[in-house]
Amino acid sequence: MQDVYSSVLLDVPRAAVIWLSLLGVVAVTVAGLLLRPGRLRFDAGSRIRRAAMPSELELAEEARERSRYAGEISVAAERAAATAARLRAEWLTAQEEVEAAWQAYEAAEADVRRLTVAGAMPLPRTVRTPAEYAERERFLHRAALDAYWRKELSVEQLSDVFAHRDGWDPRLHPVEQELVLRRAVRDNMLARQRAAREREQDAWRAAETAAEAARSLRDEAFAAVSRRPEESPSLLPLIEGATEQTREFPVVTGRDVPSVARGRAAVVAY
């Protein structure tokens, strides 16, 4: 018995040291938790936010996709700008054509007014013989051909001259034939001026549309280059609200739960 007591008494200090060490560790842990109680709090919102945030691989893939999209939009913007510049040059050319057609019409109108005043004077008398009529016809054909080569008459008008239709009479006096010819030239110049004006309007609309498209693509390219990844909407506000309500109101048992009205619940819009 003495041997047993002696062996037990020898182990008591060792056991006491072990128990005191364990008590010290527990005391330090409790003190740390009391000083920083936030470590015991279960932050569900932070965990959900970390789970919802994209990984580094996803962020890198998204950055590459944004870079590729920005490059494509930049190329499209450059092409649209080149198209807009070309259409603007065509519009300026159309404006010059309108101005030239208007000047040609004014010159033709001045010739008509001059011949109208000259036609008011008495015409010289000539012997009306077959040779005279043949000469008048040759004069009309030569004058019409010259006007056609100067691009003052259209092909249709020249055909009417040789077919002696639509007011073209080879029996008229050369002065009268010249007046009819000048009026036909004036009408042709006016038609050309109107056609040139329509082309100029179409070119202007096309240039404006191309310029607007180029501006839109340029703005989109700038936005694509400077765009930053946005945080996706999370459910954290709902969870925090539910957590706050749980903290404010006591937990109720099944017998305390009130009756719930049946029907469609409101859907949260994002």
Side-chain angles (χ1 to χ4, degrees), residues 128-200:
R128 297 184 179 182
T129 60
E132 176 65 19
Y133 287 132
E135 181 62 27
R136 291 182 180 184
E137 184 177 4
R138 285 193 297 269
F139 171 81
L140 175 61
H141 292 173
R142 286 196 304 269
L145 279 174
D146 292 341
Y148 173 75
W149 293 120
R150 292 193 302 268
K151 297 182 179 180
E152 296 177 350
L153 289 180
S154 63
V155 177
E156 292 78 7
Q157 289 175 318
L158 185 63
S159 300
D160 293 338
V161 170
F162 282 92
H164 303 163
R165 61 173 178 262
D166 197 15
W168 296 98
D169 189 358
R171 297 171 300 179
L172 296 177
H173 192 275
V175 176
E176 296 176 334
Q177 290 180 356
E178 184 67 21
L179 179 58
V180 174
L181 179 63
R182 289 298 99 191
R183 287 174 178 171
V185 170
R186 179 197 60 187
D187 296 340
N188 186 35
M189 293 297 103
L190 180 59
R192 288 186 180 181
Q193 193 274 337
R194 290 175 177 174
R197 183 64 179 174
E198 292 179 0
R199 289 194 300 270
E200 187 268 339

Side-chain angles (χ1 to χ4, degrees), residues 43-55 58 232 234 239:
D43 193 356
S46 299
R47 293 191 177 185
I48 293 177
R49 182 185 290 108
R50 287 194 298 270
M53 291 295 293
S55 62
E58 292 175 347
S232 59
S234 64
I239 296 175

